[in-house]
Amino acid sequence: MDDVGALKIDFDVTPEKYEEVAKKQKARARAIADKVVNDSPLDLSPSDRRCIAAILRSWADELPTRKLGKQGNPRLFCHGSAALEYAMERWEGHSHGETLERMADSYGVSSVAIGKAIRPYRSAAFAMIGETDPGNR
């Protein structure tokens, strides 16, 4: 089903009430994400299924359909995706150094270049997998 032209609703509430509602929405989305990761077999209510679908549609709608033009040389790899790859490898128990070295070999760049490229994305990447960035230990 195509959501083009989907109804958008604005709520006129105080900043305090808005913050309260937003925190509840975030908590619910995180609780559903935890359920998706941990439940075996996955048993979602119809409400949870609709929530997941709405989140995925919203995310999909925000993806750009055209590459934004930037000056300079094009990137050799997606820094955000590399940060997520780094987070997953660290979560699997690999050290900072060995993860950077493996990625450097894979992307054909130095480990320093990998480290600099993923730095702005690391905390978000760890947050995506529900973990805290362990640093460079």
Side-chain angles (χ1 to χ4, degrees):
M1 181 175 176
D2 193 10
D3 280 322
V4 174
L7 178 63
K8 302 278 186 192
I9 301 173
D10 287 327
F11 294 97
D12 188 22
V13 296
T14 65
E16 296 78 19
K17 184 68 173 172
Y18 184 89
E19 183 178 352
E20 177 186 330
V21 170
K23 284 180 179 178
K24 286 180 181 178
Q25 289 175 335
K26 286 182 176 189
R28 178 166 187 231
R30 288 193 162 281
I32 293 171
D34 291 344
K35 192 174 191 180
V36 168
V37 171
N38 297 324
D39 265 9
S40 289
L42 184 59
D43 182 25
L44 295 171
S45 69
S47 174
D48 286 351
R49 291 175 189 273
R50 289 183 71 93
C51 185
I52 289 171
I55 291 167
L56 290 173
R57 286 186 188 111
S58 174
W59 174 75
D61 291 346
E62 295 301 317
L63 290 174
T65 55
R66 288 181 288 145
K67 184 171 174 63
L68 300 177
K70 293 187 178 184
Q71 293 181 350
N73 294 329
R75 292 180 171 177
L76 298 175
F77 56 92
C78 173
H79 298 176
S81 295
L84 186 57
E85 181 181 346
Y86 172 86
M88 292 298 295
E89 287 204 23
R90 292 300 310 274
W91 178 72
E92 290 173 354
H94 301 281
S95 74
H96 171 75
E98 67 188 13
T99 299
L100 289 183
E101 285 299 322
R102 194 220 43 85
M103 291 177 69
D105 288 344
S106 173
Y107 291 112
V109 298
S110 71
S111 60
V112 171
I114 293 286
K116 285 181 180 179
I118 67 172
R119 186 175 300 127
Y121 305 95
R122 273 178 55 167
S123 62
F126 278 96
M128 284 181 73
I129 64 170
E131 297 293 326
T132 303
D133 187 342
N136 297 346
R137 332 180 224 129

